[in-house]
Amino acid sequence: MAGKDIFNVEVFFIVFREALEAIIVCSVLLAFLQRSFSSNTDARVYKSLRKQVWLGMAAGILVCFILGGAFIGVFYTIGSDIWSKSEDLWEGIFCLIATIVISFMGIPMLRIQKMQDKWRVKLAKSLLEDPHKEKGWKRFIKIGYYTKRYVMFVLPFITCLREGLEAVVFVGGVGLTSTGSNRATGFPLPVVCGLICGIAVGYAMFYFGKSASMQVFLVFSTAVLYLISASLFSRAAWYFTNYQFNKATGGDASESGSGPGSYDVTKAVYHVNCCNPEIDNGWDIFNAILGWQNTGYYSSVICYNIYWLVMIVVLGLMWYEERFGHLPGTKDTHLRDLNPMFQLKKKFGVVSDLSEAEAEALVEKVHKVKYNENGELIVEEESQEKEVEEKSAELKQVQNVNVEAK
Amino acid sequence: MISYRFQFLITLVGLFNLVFSAGDASLVNSTFNSTIGSVEYYDLTNISYTSGETKTFYFDVTYFYASPDGFNRTVVGLNNTWPCPDIHVNRGDRVLIYVTNKLPDQNTSLHVHGLFQHGSAQFDGPEMINQCPIPPNETMLYNFTVPDQAGAFWYHSHTKGQYGDGFRGAFIIHDDTDTEVWDYDEEVVLTISEWYHTLSGVLDKSFLNVNNPTGAEPIPDNLLFNDTFNSTWQVQPNTTYLVRIINIGAFVSQYLYMEDHVFTVVEVDGVRVEPNVTDVLYITVAQRYTVLITTKSDDSQNYAFVQGVDEGMLDVPGTFSHNVTNQIVYNADAARAGDYIIESDDYDILDDFYLQPLNKEILYDDYDYQIEVNVTMNNLGNGVNYAFFNNITFTPPKVPILNTVLSAGENATNPIVYGTNTNSFVLKKDEIVQIVLNNQDTGTHPFHLHGHTFQAVIRGPDYSDEADPIPYDSSNFTSDVNDYPMMRDTFYVRPQSYFVVRFKANNPGVWFFHCHIEWHLSQGLAIVLIEDPEGIQSDSRQQLSDDYKRVCEKQGISLTGNAANNSVDYFDLTGENVQVAPLPDGFTARGIVAMVFSCLAGVLGIGAIALYGLSDIKNIEAKVAQDLDLNIEEVEEADENSSVTEIESSGPNSKK
């Protein structure tokens, strides 16, 4: 427990990951600006816009800290009462949530340029879309609807806020897995470390480019992240088994230390009367990273192995798809097509299934964007207006021709 | 209520077949209200054996319904009634009890608690030790005498937790000298016990269960006082009562306290002691205290008689009332006494260790044979919590120990024939035996020795607060040892502490020594003492009765053979009953397999991550450049200047 009271490893990695993502957002925006101003020499506007990006990010993170602190505070004040009773059940559920979250967000770290691509397209869309063209309520959620002038501030602000809040929610959830209903003391240090590492890595990437050693670092941290995730999955199963046992025994077991009686002998694969991660110092870190328990249940051991098996298969499929453009045994099926969430999003048009060429065109467009002296976006609206004017002009001409013909 | 109870019993005589073959040697002993005697030195052990009468009882063990505390439940009663009657006999009587098992679905047995059973070990009761269990529809005659004991005893089933279901009652041996020794006007019996609303068999199943890994004893539903709840004791003013207080419960110790009255203890467990006045009695299950209670001359007020549970014995408090206030009623028209709560810290509680027997039997100055046992509680491989003496949980042999004694010939002196899992010790005739008991458990345990009263030599203090139990250290022997130690048959040990008791092996027989908490007995907290086996074999009275043999035959249990039912080779214990295998100590084969597979899975998984992650590393520079939208051409141009050879080797298509 002592270890976890000071440094919660899961929290560190989540914060690290989200910080990295925030940095990527900024780097992409800065790159856009750089391209737009490469031919332009209005250094004053460029500087001011760059300042907006940094300020937006800083403000986003700040607000996120405030909201997040309040959120976690409330979460724990209310939460500690709710789940102190069936602690093992809740710990199991939060372990499960954490493992799902980490599993889905970990792998993209290995393809950092994909992450960057994603953000490039996303941000390009945000910049270029004319919110006034949207019909009904949808336009109110578009950033550009409210401001054009401070788009370079608002965009990183909103993005950092959203990413950050996501992190807070996960940190809150994951933190609950750290045994016991109220263990918030294990948060500050890993949050700070995660922020520092995330920013450092992002900064290094932006200024020094992606190097082999950077990739090795990312591989290493992803491996650690998945070790944790596998252990969380195993622990979820362990907690569920223990919850059942505690229910059957009337909550006796948790009081009996690590000796006989503290575990369900009928479901145990192994047990040692020591090294209890919930009692003995040191073993809790072993538990956090490698999922160690002094009682191995069939469920926890099997879940640990299954987790890795699934991971290996998924990574194999991803590798194959990257290499050959589709999944083995199919012609045009992609991994994401197997994701029900993706299908759902596609159905409701939340995901625009842009082709690569379309995405490139979008990005190209952003590069041609012009800013006025106030730093407002000007170019694409004009061009659109021009297009409309031209079209209407053509229409008029055609109409005129028709009239003349009559 | 107590006096009423006693009179009620008289009516039972006719009703329930309690037949006295000795005619009108009445149950209501005329000496009860006899004249006042004076307390004087009286040596029970030197009493010449009086040739008494023969008293015959018929016990049909039957199911019955009873609601002593308002909750109607199935009980095990006698002769289709409940509570079970009090039995009164006189010292020197021969007692015949015909026990017929009319329970359709379980065995039974009868033990009269505290009797020496000289020459009649086969009628002591514990099944698979002193007899075969009586099957349904079978009768067994218990035939014994009570030549040299008097006082408060009790009888109960010695089959599993059966007596907790109601098969228990007082067994009082009166003595002609009672009235000479004690100054009293009237005699009453007061039984106390805890009470469950669930049959013991049901409780036992959930108690000895993998889902009860801590061995938490079932929590009682109530405390009974003379087998009723919130009772009333109608008393006369200016009267001295001789009250036989017996804890006939199966689990919890109780405190007894009377508002503005005192107990004068004069006898414990059938041993007369120097009178000792106390406010509060602490009585474990199976213990008896005979006390004098003198009422007030003023009969205008009623008083509380409080019984309180020893809360330290409860795993969780439960929902039942830990303090029950009964009424000492002087005046039925006056207000009832208010409720009282015994706070054990507030009173001077009798420590029975310092009582002194009237006969002033001097401490045996040394011992010939020592049995040192450590009490522990732990889980075995099936996840059930058991109790152990020296890491052995008593597991009944296939043949009752007494059968083995009588059939093993000269091998009977070798403890091995009684099996490896019965914790059997063979005692030589007339040796002084010392039992050192180290309680490594955190609970209080009342230990009972059959066939003897023992000298309570040492009892250690409560070591609950110590990190580890404190064992007996023989170098401390001289401190706190009484010259005339208290003697009794049920003696409690304090948490994480110890006691030392001594007795003389002058009563050939097979004697069970066990914790009298029935839950702990079912967990195996028992040893067996085989005292002078040759003396048993050579005594014609000890030969098995026809009833005994028939009961064994009905049960399909052999009359001969060792613990493994081997009558040919008594040293061959193949097939004996043994305790469940212990929980594996650390990793077993499957644990190692699980670990290896998990480690392998982890390593392979990390390998997969590394392979996937690093497979991206090809043409990484170009990708990064593209990704970051840096003005790569310019950068590269700058680079090219410094590395011309590379550009040349890249062919004609390279940039200008």
Side-chain angles (χ1 to χ4, degrees):
Chain A
M1 272 187 257
K4 243 177 192 172
D5 282 346
I6 298 161
F7 199 89
N8 189 314
V9 189
E10 297 103 288
V11 171
F12 167 78
F13 275 97
I14 287 168
V15 172
F16 168 67
R17 206 276 192 179
E18 301 295 340
L20 191 59
E21 193 131 10
I23 291 286
I24 286 171
V25 167
C26 292
S27 74
V28 168
L29 282 173
L30 291 172
F32 282 170
L33 287 177
Q34 199 184 23
R35 277 293 284 267
S36 296
F37 285 88
S38 59
S39 50
N40 195 322
T41 45
D42 193 347
R44 193 183 56 84
V45 177
Y46 177 53
K47 264 189 177 170
S48 134
L49 287 175
R50 259 190 13 187
K51 210 167 143 192
Q52 276 189 31
V53 171
W54 287 114
L55 277 176
M57 184 179 85
I61 289 174
L62 187 73
V63 172
C64 163
F65 262 97
I66 294 165
L67 287 179
F71 174 78
I72 289 185
V74 171
F75 205 50
Y76 273 73
T77 324
I78 299 170
S80 58
D81 297 334
I82 299 172
W83 37 74
S84 56
K85 269 204 165 176
S86 45
E87 211 175 82
D88 281 341
L89 181 63
W90 284 107
E91 294 214 15
I93 289 169
F94 282 109
C95 278
L96 205 56
I97 293 172
T99 193
I100 290 167
V101 167
I102 293 178
S103 299
F104 278 93
M105 71 179 210
I107 285 296
M109 268 173 73
L110 291 173
R111 291 290 182 268
I112 212 105
Q113 86 279 7
K114 276 190 187 163
M115 231 150 105
Q116 288 170 324
D117 285 345
K118 182 190 79 182
W119 279 112
R120 255 175 359 145
V121 175
K122 269 192 184 175
L123 293 169
K125 272 180 83 179
S126 298
L127 280 169
L128 294 174
E129 262 174 358
D130 183 0
H132 300 285
K133 280 205 263 182
E134 292 279 358
K135 296 262 163 65
W137 59 271
K138 267 191 175 175
R139 63 174 139 165
F140 293 102
I141 58 166
K142 297 291 175 186
I143 299 155
Y145 184 78
Y146 302 100
T147 173
K148 276 276 177 243
R149 188 181 172 132
Y150 296 112
V151 69
M152 280 298 161
F153 170 81
V154 172
L155 215 51
F157 173 75
I158 296 287
T159 312
C160 285
L161 190 62
R162 213 180 55 197
E163 293 295 307
L165 281 181
E166 219 172 278
V168 164
V169 172
F170 296 151
V171 162
V174 168
L176 281 168
T177 64
S178 58
T179 313
S181 44
N182 221 331
R183 208 63 57 69
T185 50
F187 283 5
L189 199 59
V191 167
V192 170
C193 289
L195 275 177
I196 291 172
C197 288
I199 290 168
V201 169
Y203 185 85
M205 252 165 42
F206 186 62
Y207 279 97
F208 307 116
K210 208 171 82 173
S211 64
S213 58
M214 177 72 70
Q215 187 66 14
V216 170
F217 174 80
L218 285 174
V219 166
F220 173 76
S221 52
T222 308
V224 174
L225 196 59
Y226 276 91
L227 274 175
I228 291 169
S229 184
S231 84
L232 282 170
F233 192 55
S234 163
R235 274 156 71 191
W238 190 92
Y239 278 122
F240 290 143
T241 306
N242 223 41
Y243 169 70
Q244 282 181 324
F245 182 58
N246 279 351
K247 230 170 84 174
T249 61
D252 261 337
S254 47
E255 296 162 18
S256 22
S258 24
S262 63
Y263 66 102
D264 190 343
V265 294
T266 58
K267 289 170 184 156
V269 184
Y270 67 86
H271 175 86
V272 285
N273 294 342
C274 69
C275 325
N276 186 334
E278 296 190 5
I279 299 171
D280 302 318
N281 280 345
W283 292 96
D284 47 348
I285 293 173
F286 199 19
N287 168 264
I289 297 177
L290 297 174
W292 164 257
Q293 296 284 7
N294 64 325
T295 303
Y297 287 127
Y298 281 105
S299 57
S300 64
V301 168
I302 288 170
C303 281
Y304 192 79
N305 284 281
I306 282 181
Y307 184 87
W308 282 119
L309 195 66
V310 169
M311 272 310 298
I312 291 167
V313 168
V314 168
L315 283 168
L317 290 176
M318 287 174 78
W319 174 84
Y320 189 94
E321 187 184 313
E322 268 179 18
R323 187 119 195 227
F324 301 101
H326 55 84
L327 289 179
T330 64
K331 275 192 175 161
D332 197 26
T333 311
H334 298 273
L335 210 53
R336 65 174 185 188
D337 295 331
L338 303 176
N339 184 347
M341 281 305 286
F342 179 77
Q343 296 294 351
L344 214 64
K345 279 182 177 175
K346 212 169 147 186
K347 201 175 168 188
F348 289 97
V350 184
V351 171
S352 53
D353 201 6
L354 290 177
S355 71
E356 266 176 55
E358 284 170 326
E360 275 309 306
L362 204 60
V363 173
E364 270 309 304
K365 229 175 174 181
V366 170
H367 293 156
K368 290 188 185 114
V369 152
K370 292 283 180 288
Y371 303 84
N372 67 16
E373 56 216 20
N374 292 325
E376 286 175 27
L377 277 158
I378 40 172
V379 163
E380 111 275 27
E381 262 175 318
E382 277 173 11
S383 65
Q384 277 173 352
E385 276 163 27
K386 263 183 200 164
E387 270 174 38
V388 174
E389 278 167 24
E390 278 168 16
K391 273 187 182 172
S392 55
E394 278 171 29
L395 263 170
K396 275 177 188 170
Q397 278 179 358
V398 172
Q399 279 170 345
N400 290 344
V401 169
N402 289 346
V403 170
E404 277 169 22
K406 281 174 185 174
Chain B
M1 198 64 197
I2 294 175
S3 49
Y4 166 73
R5 163 86 182 273
F6 196 69
Q7 278 148 25
F8 175 68
L9 182 68
I10 305 165
T11 62
L12 290 179
V13 174
L15 269 170
F16 304 119
N17 279 338
L18 300 172
V19 175
F20 294 84
S21 60
D24 50 11
S26 70
L27 194 57
V28 188
N29 198 308
S30 58
T31 58
F32 282 14
N33 297 314
S34 66
T35 49
I36 296 151
S38 58
V39 178
E40 56 181 294
Y41 173 72
Y42 188 78
D43 187 355
L44 251 183
T45 58
N46 292 339
I47 301 169
S48 58
Y49 289 7
T50 55
S51 56
E53 299 147 355
T54 299
K55 297 206 169 134
T56 308
F57 303 87
Y58 293 92
F59 282 6
D60 283 1
V61 185
T62 53
Y63 281 126
F64 194 67
Y65 289 98
S67 47
D69 58 348
F71 180 89
N72 199 35
R73 57 156 284 179
T74 302
V75 296
V76 176
L78 293 180
N79 306 323
N80 290 312
T81 187
W82 192 87
C84 298
D86 299 345
I87 301 299
H88 293 263
V89 300
N90 295 317
R91 187 170 62 82
D93 283 349
R94 173 163 293 278
V95 180
L96 303 180
I97 305 175
Y98 289 92
V99 176
T100 303
N101 183 4
K102 291 198 170 169
L103 305 172
D105 56 350
Q106 52 179 321
N107 296 325
T108 194
S109 56
L110 177 73
H111 166 61
V112 183
H113 185 111
L115 298 191
F116 294 150
Q117 297 285 9
H118 296 299
S120 52
Q122 59 179 309
F123 301 123
D124 192 45
E127 61 177 42
M128 298 316 285
I129 291 125
N130 296 73
Q131 69 165 87
C132 300
I134 306 169
N137 296 316
E138 195 51 63
T139 300
M140 178 163 153
L141 167 62
Y142 289 81
N143 178 352
F144 54 87
T145 57
V146 285
D148 55 349
Q149 286 179 285
F153 300 87
W154 63 299
Y155 63 88
H156 61 85
S157 160
H158 221 294
T159 299
K160 292 187 172 141
Q162 198 175 59
Y163 89 73
D165 287 329
F167 181 5
R168 73 278 203 281
F171 188 100
I172 311 297
I173 305 175
H174 300 281
D175 190 86
D176 292 344
T177 60
D178 283 350
T179 48
E180 295 168 23
V181 181
W182 300 318
D183 178 0
Y184 64 95
D185 305 306
E186 200 177 318
E187 178 177 344
V188 288
V189 172
L190 164 57
T191 62
I192 54 172
S193 70
E194 78 288 325
W195 189 244
Y196 291 96
H197 290 167
T198 312
L199 279 165
S200 64
V202 178
L203 293 174
D204 218 45
K205 268 198 195 99
S206 54
F207 171 63
L208 292 175
N209 195 296
V210 64
N211 287 333
N212 184 24
T214 56
E217 299 84 0
I219 297 301
D221 293 303
N222 259 322
L223 299 179
L224 298 186
F225 190 88
N226 260 348
D227 286 329
T228 55
F229 189 62
N230 281 335
S231 313
T232 303
W233 178 24
Q234 189 76 44
V235 296
Q236 300 299 317
N238 275 326
T239 307
T240 298
Y241 292 90
L242 182 74
V243 186
R244 312 280 198 180
I245 303 172
I246 311 172
N247 189 337
I248 58 173
F251 176 24
V252 290
S253 306
Q254 294 192 31
Y255 295 98
L256 288 182
Y257 167 77
M258 294 180 295
E259 181 187 5
D260 285 345
H261 291 69
V262 290
F263 301 103
T264 304
V265 176
V266 293
E267 179 236 301
V268 289
D269 292 2
V271 177
R272 290 175 176 174
V273 296
E274 296 283 0
N276 190 304
V277 179
T278 184
D279 288 329
V280 180
L281 286 176
Y282 177 78
I283 313 181
T284 74
V285 288
Q287 285 190 333
R288 291 88 67 202
Y289 283 86
T290 297
V291 299
L292 295 171
I293 299 172
T294 302
T295 55
K296 297 178 176 302
S297 51
D298 174 14
D299 67 352
S300 62
Q301 195 189 337
N302 300 322
Y303 297 87
F305 196 143
V306 193
Q307 52 182 156
V309 69
D310 176 1
E311 293 177 331
M313 300 177 85
L314 302 174
D315 185 65
V316 291
T319 53
F320 76 110
S321 178
H322 291 189
N323 276 273
V324 177
T325 303
N326 305 284
Q327 301 286 323
I328 303 173
V329 175
Y330 282 80
N331 184 341
D333 297 329
R336 289 167 62 88
D339 284 351
Y340 256 78
I341 290 175
I342 299 180
E343 298 286 353
S344 55
D345 297 340
D346 297 351
Y347 300 100
D348 177 26
I349 299 167
L350 176 74
D351 185 346
D352 59 328
F353 182 77
Y354 297 103
L355 294 174
Q356 201 175 87
L358 267 191
N359 67 10
K360 284 200 161 54
E361 183 181 286
I362 199 155
L363 173 73
Y364 297 120
D365 61 356
D366 206 355
Y367 60 88
D368 304 310
Y369 180 65
Q370 176 173 283
I371 296 169
E372 187 168 2
V373 283
N374 297 326
V375 175
T376 50
M377 301 218 157
N378 214 335
N379 298 54
L380 290 181
N382 56 359
V384 173
N385 190 267
Y386 290 92
F388 302 84
F389 272 126
N390 294 344
N391 296 322
I392 294 174
T393 180
F394 176 81
T395 309
K398 286 186 167 172
V399 170
I401 305 269
L402 186 61
N403 298 15
T404 305
V405 172
L406 290 167
S407 64
E410 58 186 11
N411 293 333
T413 54
N414 191 331
I416 205 75
V417 301
Y418 307 108
T420 59
N421 228 153
T422 56
N423 250 330
S424 290
F425 297 85
V426 175
L427 310 179
K428 292 195 190 74
K429 183 174 166 53
D430 288 337
E431 67 184 354
I432 305 298
V433 180
Q434 169 164 303
I435 297 177
V436 173
L437 185 143
N438 294 312
N439 179 17
Q440 297 179 355
D441 181 61
T442 52
T444 300
H445 298 273
F447 285 98
H448 169 49
L449 174 60
H450 289 225
H452 286 277
T453 52
F454 46 72
Q455 296 181 341
V457 183
I458 291 174
R459 174 161 59 198
D462 186 337
Y463 287 123
S464 301
D465 297 334
E466 299 290 330
D468 293 307
I470 308 291
Y472 167 63
D473 179 359
S474 59
S475 60
N476 295 339
F477 179 76
T478 47
S479 68
D480 210 14
V481 173
N482 302 326
D483 292 338
Y484 308 109
M486 194 266 298
M487 295 177 67
R488 62 189 315 168
D489 60 45
T490 307
F491 190 48
Y492 68 84
V493 65
R494 295 191 174 99
Q496 304 207 99
S497 185
Y498 51 83
F499 71 49
V500 177
V501 299
R502 285 177 185 174
F503 64 94
K504 190 174 185 184
N506 55 6
N507 187 20
V510 175
W511 309 122
F512 214 18
F513 175 79
H514 61 93
C515 178
H516 216 289
I517 294 173
E518 281 297 288
W519 305 119
H520 298 167
L521 181 55
S522 69
Q523 285 177 292
L525 195 49
I527 64 175
V528 182
L529 306 181
I530 295 115
E531 190 169 327
D532 187 15
E534 286 151 323
I536 302 172
Q537 291 170 352
S538 62
D539 188 339
S540 62
R541 297 173 303 170
Q542 300 268 25
Q543 304 312 307
L544 303 179
S545 74
D546 290 344
D547 273 10
Y548 185 109
K549 290 176 184 168
R550 196 184 64 254
V551 164
C552 286
E553 194 186 319
K554 282 272 165 65
Q555 291 280 20
I557 296 170
S558 173
L559 292 173
T560 61
N562 65 7
N565 192 19
N566 189 330
S567 311
V568 182
D569 181 0
Y570 273 79
F571 296 105
D572 180 5
L573 288 167
T574 313
E576 68 167 332
N577 294 335
V578 290
Q579 66 196 49
V580 177
L583 280 169
D585 189 20
F587 281 91
T588 55
R590 59 180 180 173
I592 293 168
V593 167
M595 265 293 150
V596 166
F597 266 87
S598 298
C599 292
L600 199 65
V603 168
L604 289 178
I606 288 169
I609 290 173
L611 280 178
Y612 175 77
L614 295 175
S615 72
D616 184 40
I617 217 136
K618 277 173 266 163
N619 61 16
I620 194 165
E621 297 286 320
K623 279 195 172 179
V624 169
Q626 187 194 343
D627 290 343
L628 293 184
D629 289 314
L630 292 171
N631 229 339
I632 291 299
E633 287 90 348
E634 290 161 20
V635 178
E636 279 191 353
E637 268 170 40
D639 284 348
E640 276 158 22
N641 297 335
S642 58
S643 52
V644 182
T645 45
E646 256 179 62
I647 299 165
E648 280 170 350
S649 67
S650 60
N653 291 335
S654 64
K655 293 163 201 125
K656 315 154 215 171

